[in-house]
Amino acid sequence: MEIKINSKYPSVHDLRKKAERKIPRFAFEYLDGGCNEDVNLLKNTSDIREVELLPYYLRNHIKSDMKTELFGHTYDAPFGIAPVGLQGLMWPNAPEILAKAAFDHNIPFILSTVTTSSIERIAEITEGQAWFQLYHPTEDSMRDAIIKRADAAGCPVLVILCDVPSFGFRPRDIRNGLAMPPKMSVKNILQIMTKWEWALKTLVHGQPSFETLKPYMPKNLDLKQLGNFMNQTFSGRLNEEKIKPIRDMWKGKLVLKGVANEADAEVAVRLGLDGIIVSNHGGRQLDAGESTIKPLVRIAKEYGDQIKVMMDSGLRSGPDIARTLASGAEFTFMGRSFMYGVAALGSQGGNHTISLLKTELQQVMEQICCENVQDFPKHLITKM
C-alpha cells in the first residue's frame, strides 16, 4: 500500500484537534474522555513516554523492516486497530472505513461487539481477516450464537474482553446523555446543527445502531429500553468458568484483552489461550489503576515465552509504538488515534493515520539502527 500523508495533519495530535472541530461535542467527548478525573487516561501516554531508546550511529545498517509475524500471518507493521464501541457515532461508517484501510495496509482490525457494523459486513470488507472482540453476554445462548457467526465469517482471532465487569463512570458522557440509558437533549441537537458535514453524512447513513446485536434485540426499543437491554445483556464478571467453554468452542486463535496483572496473565496461559492484550480500556474503566506500560514490562518478562503479549491504551505515535515494543510487547493496538483520523478526515482518515504511524515508526527504526521489530528490546535504556 502506497504511503500517503496529508501534510496538514502530520501528527495524531493534529488529527485530534481537527476532529474536535468537526464532530459534535458529545461525540468527541465520548471518544476523547476517560473515566472519573482522567488520571489513568493521561498516565497511559505519559508513562509510555518515560521509556527511552538507545541509538547506534556507527553500526552498518542496510534497512529496517517493520513486518511482523503474528498468529501465522505476516503483517506489514507491528500495530493494529483496537476495538472501539459506537464508532458510527463519532463518524458515520467509521468501522467500514477503518476495516478497509487496515486490509489495504495489511494490519489487523478488531471489531467490537458494541460498534456499529456487523461481523458479516466487516468480514466481507477484509476478506475474513478481521478479528472480533466479544463482550461476554449474560446468556450463554447469545454467546454461542455470536461466536458461531464470527467463525462462519472466517475471523482468525477471537478476542475476549475482561476489563468491563461494570460500565465505567464517565462524567462527560453522563452530562451529554450518553450513559445508559442514552438520551438526546436540546443541547446535543444544537451541537449537531453546527456540524453540518457530520449531520449530513449521518442522515445519509442512518442513525448508528449495534448491528451485530440486532438479531438478539427486541424490535422498536425506545432509548430507555435500549439502555435496559444493554445493562441486562452485558452485566457480570468474566472468570475461568466462562472462558473454558469459549476455548473449547473456538478453534482459531483466542486472545484475552484487558489483562492488567501477572495473576490474570497466568490464568490465560493455564487455560491455553494464544495471546493477551495488556490494556486498561484506554483509561475508561479504572482511574485508580496502573498505566498499561508498567504491568506490560512485568508480564512480558514472566510470560513472554509462553504466550503472545500485546498492548494497547495510551499509544499515540510511532515513537510510542517503538517504546512499547522495546518494553516487551510483541504487537500493539491503538483505538482513539484511528478514530481521530476518521473524525478529522472522513473516508481518508484510516489510510492517512496508518501511513502516518508507519512513517513515524520507520524513522525511529532507521534512527536507532533497529533492523527488525524483534530487535527493539535491545535498544531499551534500563533506568537505574
Side-chain angles (χ1 to χ4, degrees):
M1 180 74 183
E2 184 180 357
I3 300 292
K4 290 185 177 180
I5 296 176
N6 186 328
S7 60
K8 293 181 180 178
Y9 308 100
S11 72
V12 170
H13 179 66
D14 293 316
L15 293 170
R16 179 185 177 276
K17 290 191 294 183
K18 176 68 173 179
E20 186 174 14
R21 295 193 299 269
K22 199 170 179 181
I23 66 177
R25 188 174 70 188
F26 65 83
F28 179 79
E29 290 188 342
Y30 174 80
L31 167 63
D32 194 60
C35 63
N36 299 94
E37 285 73 46
D38 292 344
V39 173
N40 218 7
L41 169 70
L42 299 173
K43 277 198 307 186
N44 276 341
T45 301
S46 62
D47 284 359
I48 289 172
R49 292 179 177 176
E50 290 293 314
V51 176
E52 296 173 342
L53 303 180
L54 183 67
Y56 294 94
Y57 292 130
L58 298 182
R59 289 182 176 177
N60 292 330
H61 183 69
I62 298 174
K63 66 175 183 177
S64 296
D65 187 358
M66 284 189 291
K67 291 185 183 298
T68 306
E69 190 277 331
L70 180 64
F71 299 140
H73 184 97
T74 300
Y75 292 104
D76 283 357
F79 62 86
I81 300 178
V84 176
L86 279 175
Q87 287 167 304
L89 174 71
M90 278 78 80
W91 192 260
N93 215 32
E96 297 186 18
I97 293 170
L98 288 174
K100 179 62 165 60
F103 178 72
D104 289 343
H105 282 269
N106 187 30
I107 66 169
F109 171 87
I110 309 178
L111 181 73
S112 171
T113 303
V114 293
T115 195
T116 52
S117 289
S118 69
I119 300 171
E120 291 78 12
R121 176 59 181 146
I122 296 303
E124 178 185 358
I125 291 171
T126 63
E127 298 183 7
Q129 293 186 24
W131 302 13
F132 180 71
Q133 176 190 263
L134 177 72
Y135 267 71
H136 196 286
T138 304
E139 298 295 328
D140 291 347
S141 58
M142 183 186 295
R143 175 201 67 193
D144 294 351
I146 294 173
I147 290 175
K148 288 176 181 177
R149 286 172 61 192
D151 181 54
C155 295
V157 181
L158 179 66
V159 180
I160 320 170
L161 187 66
C162 69
D163 62 359
V164 188
S166 62
F167 289 109
F169 190 88
R170 302 168 192 164
R172 294 179 186 84
D173 294 348
I174 294 171
R175 286 194 297 269
N176 291 327
L178 293 180
M180 288 296 179
K183 62 182 179 180
M184 186 56 65
S185 65
V186 173
K187 179 176 67 174
N188 289 350
I189 293 172
L190 292 174
Q191 291 174 27
I192 291 172
M193 292 174 64
T194 65
K195 310 297 181 183
W196 64 267
E197 185 180 357
W198 180 94
L200 181 61
K201 289 187 179 295
T202 297
L203 184 64
V204 170
H205 287 283
Q207 181 177 339
S209 60
F210 299 117
E211 291 295 323
T212 290
L213 296 176
K214 269 189 175 180
Y216 319 108
M217 298 170 64
K219 303 296 183 184
N220 303 316
L221 294 182
D222 62 28
L223 291 178
K224 183 176 182 180
Q225 291 168 332
L226 174 61
N228 291 334
F229 170 81
M230 294 299 290
N231 282 328
Q232 293 167 6
T233 301
F234 297 104
S235 62
R237 179 179 297 273
L238 196 65
N239 55 37
E240 292 189 46
E241 286 66 36
K242 291 180 179 179
I243 295 174
K244 287 176 182 177
I246 298 175
R247 176 70 284 182
D248 293 339
M249 179 184 297
W250 184 257
K251 303 309 177 185
K253 300 299 183 181
L254 188 61
V255 170
L256 184 65
K257 181 176 181 288
V259 176
N261 61 65
E262 295 92 320
D264 288 347
E266 189 276 330
V267 171
V269 171
R270 177 157 41 84
L271 294 178
L273 274 63
D274 301 285
I276 56 176
I277 300 177
V278 179
S279 171
N280 60 25
H281 216 85
R284 293 170 68 82
Q285 288 297 116
L286 179 64
D287 215 21
E290 283 187 298
S291 65
T292 45
I293 197 74
K294 291 183 177 180
L296 169 76
V297 173
R298 302 192 304 267
I299 291 169
K301 183 177 181 180
E302 188 165 351
Y303 296 104
D305 61 345
Q306 301 175 59
I307 195 168
K308 294 287 186 184
V309 178
M310 301 163 278
M311 195 188 99
D312 83 356
S313 300
L315 296 90
R316 298 287 186 272
S317 68
D320 289 346
I321 296 169
R323 294 176 176 111
T324 303
L325 295 169
S327 299
E330 293 190 54
F331 210 84
T332 63
F333 289 91
M334 306 166 78
R336 284 186 180 91
S337 298
F338 293 106
M339 286 307 306
Y340 292 144
V342 173
L345 302 177
S347 62
Q348 298 305 309
N351 284 326
H352 169 82
T353 309
I354 297 170
S355 295
L356 171 62
L357 293 170
K358 281 183 173 179
T359 301
E360 289 183 329
L361 182 58
Q362 185 72 29
Q363 187 276 329
V364 173
M365 295 182 73
E366 298 285 354
Q367 182 73 20
I368 67 175
C369 194
C370 181
E371 293 187 0
N372 55 64
V373 170
Q374 294 73 31
D375 285 343
F376 266 114
K378 299 176 183 178
H379 297 267
L380 179 66
I381 295 177
T382 303
K383 297 183 179 180
M384 303 299 291

